[in-house]
Amino acid sequence: MTAPVFVADGLAGARGEFVLDGPEGRHAVSVKRLQPGERVVLTDGTGRRAEGEVTAAEGKDRLVVRLDEVTEEPAPSPRITVVQALPKGDRGELAVETMTEVGVDAIVPWAASRCITQWRGERGLKALGKWRATAREAGKQSRRVRFPEVADAATAKQVAALVAGADFAAVLHESGHDPLATADLPATGEIVLIVGPEGGVSPEELALFAEAGARICVLGRTVLRTSTAGTAAAALLMGRTGRWS
């Protein structure tokens, strides 16, 4: 079994013994019950990583690790961003969790016109915080050392600006005639996928994104829920671009 991953600040330039404390240290000592001699991976979530051996577990929240060399994992290419319309309930966190597991690099919450859920005020900030916490925990669970960025909620116009700057952009929509499985993808640069809400992407939004350069694509014959479509599409792209090779 691969070594568990914990998030640690201050890895840049770290060497020798490193103390993991706070919530991550508590999780390592009191929940995982790590013991001297076991291996762990420490990361800052932005690509730095260091494997190490536990030398001591002290109290309830202090883990001492003898670090190997700190390295930096290069950013993957092409970079894959998923624009995710806001689902109902906790299905947004499910989408973030599974997209993180398959390797998505960035997630943009989108307040589409047909979204039942709307992020406003304190409720919106709380929901965004849950998405970011989910990405962090899923990143650790899937042994990533470069966690996906979860942006602030975007409007349709802001999404169109992302599309305009991408090397390839697609809206997943049942009206499309181009299969994502055969689309001509770039070897490098930025790929943007747009996933609409349960009520669908409005004609006005489709037109806006198409004008910005997005293709209207389908995944297959079935219609997926908004909380699973992004994960399925991202997995397809991971295989097609060689990122899963």
Side-chain angles (χ1 to χ4, degrees), residues 53-77:
E53 180 179 314
V54 176
T55 59
E58 302 169 349
K60 295 181 178 180
D61 61 358
R62 183 180 167 89
L63 193 77
V64 183
V65 180
R66 183 185 299 112
L67 294 181
D68 300 338
E69 181 184 4
V70 178
T71 60
E72 184 158 356
E73 182 180 283
S77 185

Side-chain angles (χ1 to χ4, degrees), residues 93-110:
E93 291 151 57
L94 172 64
V96 171
E97 179 180 60
T98 53
M99 286 191 289
T100 298
E101 290 172 1
V102 301
V104 164
D105 303 297
I107 300 167
V108 179
W110 172 35

Side-chain angles (χ1 to χ4, degrees), residues 120-139:
R120 295 189 179 94
E122 288 298 320
R123 179 183 178 184
L125 293 175
K126 184 177 180 181
L128 179 60
K130 285 184 177 179
W131 280 35
R132 287 173 172 164
T134 298
R136 172 187 168 109
E137 292 306 309

